[in-house]
Amino acid sequence: MDPTARKYTLEAGKIGRLALEYAQSLIEPGALLLDVAEKTEQFIRDNGGFPSFPLNLSINNEAAHYTPIPGDKKVFRTGDLVKVDIGAHVEGYISDNAATVEVGNTGKYSDLIQCSRDALNAALKVLRPGIEINRIGAAIGHVIESYGFKPVKNLGGHGIKQYDLHSTIFIPNYDDGNQRRIEQQQLIAIEPFASTGIGLIHNGPGGNIYIYSGTKKTKGDPVVDNFNTLPFAERWLAKIMPEYKDYLRRGLFMKQISHFAVLREHKGAMISQAEHTILFDGDTVTVTTA
Ligand code: MN
Ligand code: MN
């Protein structure tokens, strides 16, 4: 890998890791999700990076993609199971990492939380240059099932490229039979999701996260100029233009902007997640968010 790209990738990893720890330290009963999100994203900017996507704070049966709206009044409640997912980028070189916390730490979900952590560690242990993708999934699925939970099958890790958070490859949370190998120069995120439900998520309502989806990057477009092709929050847009709601409505209609839905299990199911970003570079395999 080009030494500069490698340097930025490792820097982004370090900042992303610190931001994840910082976000977790802010979560307590009664705290506003909005405050945690704004403070964590500012922490990333203060540390020399930019958020590679809005802080995701997804609660209980939500697996991913909730971020607060401007003026959001939602607060954490004791017993909420929160997936905290954040990353940083430096010049478009991205990190992506996540952890699960239980608000108030009553210990009710400690097995479920430990399960996705252990699954992630088991996946990291089998990594070597050129590993088959399904062997990573098998390591994850095995651990999750040993706890008596279900791996989420239609959600998982992914390839990452410069300014591209979800590039083509998919890293499953079970053995899906895909024997394609990880390439010599490849950045990936591995993210086990463990569920007390059926292990399938579906699209819920919009999660206040958007992404530019036009075919051409148009200079002078506020989204392209500020967020490039990375996901952005309605909150972020509100800070750069007063008429952000009209702008979003028009962008969605013209298909220049896409909306991420909140990803959910069925009601009553609980989900935990853990995630790291890993750089495969020649003979080396490095967890950038360790
Ligand atoms: Mn993530
Ligand atoms: Mn990810």
Side-chain angles (χ1 to χ4, degrees):
M1 191 183 201
D2 166 70
T4 310
R6 187 179 166 92
K7 181 175 152 253
Y8 288 153
T9 302
L10 296 177
E11 261 175 45
K14 199 181 240 179
I15 300 166
R17 180 69 201 170
L18 292 172
L20 178 60
E21 280 164 16
Y22 179 68
Q24 286 173 271
S25 77
L26 299 175
I27 295 176
E28 57 182 16
L32 279 166
L33 275 70
L34 180 61
D35 279 349
V36 174
E38 299 265 287
K39 283 181 182 164
T40 302
E41 291 158 3
Q42 191 53 43
F43 175 95
I44 291 174
R45 296 181 197 106
D46 292 343
N47 280 276
F50 289 96
S52 39
F53 51 89
L55 177 68
N56 283 217
L57 294 165
S58 309
I59 296 180
N60 297 339
N61 68 322
E62 294 170 355
H65 296 168
Y66 184 82
T67 203
I69 51 167
D72 203 308
K73 294 282 183 283
K74 204 169 166 184
V75 295
F76 295 106
R77 291 171 307 184
T78 300
D80 279 347
L81 191 64
V82 187
K83 276 66 65 181
V84 187
D85 196 336
I86 187 66
H89 81 84
V90 177
E91 301 292 336
Y93 295 94
I94 293 171
S95 68
D96 180 6
N97 65 168
T100 303
V101 290
E102 190 206 333
V103 181
N105 292 310
T106 68
K108 197 173 164 199
Y109 301 110
S110 50
D111 271 11
L112 187 60
I113 292 169
Q114 193 59 42
C115 170
S116 48
R117 257 189 223 147
D118 284 358
L120 178 57
N121 286 331
L124 296 181
K125 257 188 206 147
V126 301
L127 297 184
R128 50 180 171 64
I131 187 166
E132 296 94 338
I133 287 173
N134 68 324
R135 292 199 44 195
I136 302 173
I140 293 170
H142 181 77
V143 170
I144 294 177
E145 275 160 15
S146 77
Y147 271 85
F149 300 121
K150 291 265 192 320
V152 174
K153 290 205 166 174
N154 55 348
L155 197 54
H158 46 93
I160 298 174
K161 289 187 173 143
Q162 191 183 18
Y163 288 115
D164 184 4
L165 179 60
H166 292 119
S167 83
T168 50
I169 60 168
F170 175 72
I171 316 288
N173 290 321
Y174 67 106
D175 182 349
D176 67 346
N178 181 5
Q179 293 186 324
R180 183 172 158 187
R181 290 171 183 277
I182 299 289
E183 286 168 26
Q184 277 222 329
Q185 313 280 328
Q186 173 93 61
L187 190 64
I188 63 168
I190 298 181
E191 48 186 314
F193 287 88
S195 173
T196 62
I198 59 171
L200 289 172
I201 52 101
H202 60 272
N203 284 352
N208 319 316
I209 302 175
Y210 300 82
I211 193 167
Y212 182 77
S213 58
T215 44
K216 262 202 308 229
K217 285 201 255 175
T218 318
K219 270 230 171 94
D221 182 295
V223 163
V224 173
D225 289 352
N226 285 280
F227 316 123
N228 205 305
T229 45
L230 292 170
F232 61 93
E234 196 173 319
R235 292 179 281 113
W236 299 358
L237 200 59
K239 282 180 190 161
I240 57 175
M241 56 167 86
E243 71 287 11
Y244 70 96
K245 284 197 171 164
D246 286 340
Y247 179 90
L248 278 177
R249 205 173 301 133
R250 200 165 50 237
L252 289 167
F253 180 74
M254 302 291 283
K255 301 208 187 323
Q256 295 285 99
I257 290 174
S258 307
H259 195 181
F260 287 88
V262 174
L263 303 176
R264 287 174 167 167
E265 252 274 24
H266 61 76
K267 207 160 178 257
M270 286 293 193
I271 303 245
S272 73
Q273 174 204 16
E275 180 177 26
H276 272 309
T277 299
I278 299 102
L279 177 63
F280 290 77
D281 186 11
D283 293 335
T284 63
V285 179
T286 310
V287 182
T288 70
T289 48

